[in-house]
Amino acid sequence: SDPPLEKTDWTETTYDPGTMSPGVTYYWKIVAKDIHGATTEGPIWSFTTWINNPPYTPSDPSPADGATGVDVDADLNWSGGDPDGDPVTYDLYFGTSSPPPLVASDLEDTTFDPGTLDFGVTYYWKIIAEDSYGDTTEGPIWSFTTVTNDPPFTPSDPDPFDGETGVDVDADLSWTGGDPNGDEV
């Protein structure tokens, strides 16, 4: 509470102490001196710098934690942000093992396209949010399982039909088919 001398013979009525630490109480006083050497010492003043709050914990994952039957082209989405309104970036950990490996850093959006995923696989992911002051908040590990790949439909309705006789020698062959997952067959 008795601050040391920082500057002498300063002629301005403002002073920039540089970047101060968050959440710290600082003490300061001014001693005024005229050109004849007379001085007046002011009182000791104090102030406390604001405390930075870390980013919100990443939440509301999509696909939802534990979801099954997730499309293999699904994007990853989450909620984030910062209670102080600071800019936030996100590190994304994603893979088939838990804990998942880091796959993307410094994302500014809360959406990520992991590309086409494999059928019938469980994926794990988590987000670490970091604000512009370096404070971080780690989210939980989430998981989801992609849809299984069903085999194509059994070919049916042949033309010519099975056992047909007298078929033209230039006949085309046709049938009904398809895939329950909408895959090209």
Side-chain angles (χ1 to χ4, degrees):
S1 66
D2 188 18
L5 178 62
E6 173 79 15
K7 210 63 163 156
T8 187
D9 295 328
W10 191 254
T11 59
E12 305 293 325
T13 58
T14 62
Y15 176 72
D16 180 359
T19 302
M20 296 175 274
S21 298
V24 173
T25 299
Y26 289 90
Y27 298 89
W28 63 298
K29 72 176 177 179
I30 301 296
V31 177
K33 179 172 57 173
D34 68 17
I35 61 171
H36 304 288
T39 63
T40 301
E41 185 172 316
I44 294 176
W45 298 309
S46 70
F47 63 91
T48 302
T49 54
W50 67 276
I51 296 175
N52 182 50
N53 294 299
Y56 293 124
T57 301
S59 61
D60 302 321
S62 176
D65 188 31
T68 58
V70 174
D71 189 87
V72 294
D73 291 318
D75 287 344
L76 307 177
N77 297 285
W78 61 93
S79 294
D82 186 90
D84 303 317
D86 301 331
V88 178
T89 58
Y90 303 94
D91 290 347
L92 171 72
Y93 295 75
F94 181 77
T96 58
S97 62
S98 183
L102 177 66
V103 297
S105 296
D106 299 324
L107 299 171
E108 294 179 2
D109 293 323
T110 56
T111 298
F112 181 78
D113 180 358
T116 301
L117 304 174
D118 293 327
F119 286 101
V121 173
T122 298
Y123 289 93
Y124 299 90
W125 63 298
K126 77 172 179 178
I127 303 294
I128 296 180
E130 181 175 355
D131 69 15
S132 56
Y133 294 96
D135 284 336
T136 60
T137 303
E138 183 172 335
I141 294 176
W142 300 309
S143 68
F144 65 89
T145 303
T146 54
V147 65
T148 57
N149 183 35
D150 296 314
F153 294 125
T154 302
S156 61
D157 300 323
D159 183 21
F161 64 84
D162 187 32
E164 186 174 343
T165 59
V167 176
D168 188 318
V169 294
D170 290 323
D172 289 336
L173 306 179
S174 66
W175 61 95
T176 301
D179 187 85
N181 302 109
D183 297 332
E184 187 175 323
V185 178

